[in-house]
Amino acid sequence: MSQPVGTLPHQVTGDLYAEVQTFYARQMRRVDALDIEGFADTFTEDGEVVHAGGQRQRGRAEMVAGMRANLPRYRDIAVRHWFGHLIIEVDPADADRLQVSYYTLVTQTDREGRVNFQPTFTVEDELVRRDGRLLTRSRVIHRDTPAPAGPPAA
């Protein structure tokens, strides 16, 4: 998905940026380790994921069921999720609500060490702080596609 590049009206603190990065590092290590329940626990109880193909999962139980159904895809491979270029915006009306946009790359390594790169995605998350802990309330995943071709050069 082609995304316009914007500027942030307010810079977040280094502490908040580090906290969000650490949250994602822990969240993705859980999913990469196939700790399905632990991964689901990083979402609010009513959390929602909208996948690039349009499939929607609401609530932890639905997420866990969907992930369990996909477990055979991950037999004999090591999956790693790589996030970068985070843009974090604090909701001006609620400091415990963050909008986070980032790029993600997923690699899959087989037993022989061959690495397969998956398509890249742009992800939009809403994170909320509950009882001092960050959780994902909403995640929308967009598969990256080239920008439409412009008019031919003269």
Side-chain angles (χ1 to χ4, degrees), residues 82-104:
W82 306 93
F83 288 3
H85 303 290
L86 277 74
I87 296 175
I88 304 167
E89 298 180 74
V90 178
D91 184 331
D94 182 356
D96 288 334
R97 186 171 167 262
L98 309 173
Q99 296 297 324
V100 184
S101 175
Y102 53 91
Y103 299 149
T104 183

Side-chain angles (χ1 to χ4, degrees), residues 93-120:
D94 182 356
D96 288 334
R97 186 171 167 262
L98 309 173
Q99 296 297 324
V100 184
S101 175
Y102 53 91
Y103 299 149
T104 183
L105 173 68
V106 178
T107 60
Q108 297 176 337
T109 305
D110 68 15
R111 291 199 180 278
E112 288 74 41
R114 289 183 298 258
V115 178
N116 178 29
F117 291 90
Q118 298 299 298
T120 59

Side-chain angles (χ1 to χ4, degrees), residues 34 68 70-79 109-111:
L34 304 178
R68 282 202 189 289
N70 283 316
L71 277 177
R73 288 178 47 190
Y74 300 103
R75 188 171 289 133
D76 294 325
I77 60 170
V79 177
T109 305
D110 68 15
R111 291 199 180 278

Side-chain angles (χ1 to χ4, degrees), residues 7-21 85-92 94-101 127 129 134:
T7 58
L8 296 177
H10 303 285
Q11 185 71 30
V12 298
T13 67
D15 286 346
L16 179 61
Y17 193 87
E19 180 185 15
V20 171
Q21 283 274 42
H85 303 290
L86 277 74
I87 296 175
I88 304 167
E89 298 180 74
V90 178
D91 184 331
D94 182 356
D96 288 334
R97 186 171 167 262
L98 309 173
Q99 296 297 324
V100 184
S101 175
L127 302 182
R129 189 177 308 281
L134 286 178

Side-chain angles (χ1 to χ4, degrees), residues 8-91:
L8 296 177
H10 303 285
Q11 185 71 30
V12 298
T13 67
D15 286 346
L16 179 61
Y17 193 87
E19 180 185 15
V20 171
Q21 283 274 42
T22 301
F23 168 78
Y24 284 124
R26 289 184 174 141
Q27 184 183 58
M28 290 301 103
R29 283 177 183 247
R30 286 180 173 142
V31 76
D32 290 345
L34 304 178
D35 175 6
I36 295 169
E37 287 80 9
F39 174 73
D41 190 47
T42 66
F43 285 77
T44 60
E45 193 62 45
D46 63 344
E48 176 178 74
V49 177
V50 180
H51 296 273
Q55 312 92 313
R56 182 180 307 261
Q57 295 171 325
R58 288 191 177 103
R60 291 179 182 161
E62 204 170 294
M63 285 180 211
V64 167
M67 291 176 73
R68 282 202 189 289
N70 283 316
L71 277 177
R73 288 178 47 190
Y74 300 103
R75 188 171 289 133
D76 294 325
I77 60 170
V79 177
R80 297 292 180 260
H81 289 76
W82 306 93
F83 288 3
H85 303 290
L86 277 74
I87 296 175
I88 304 167
E89 298 180 74
V90 178
D91 184 331

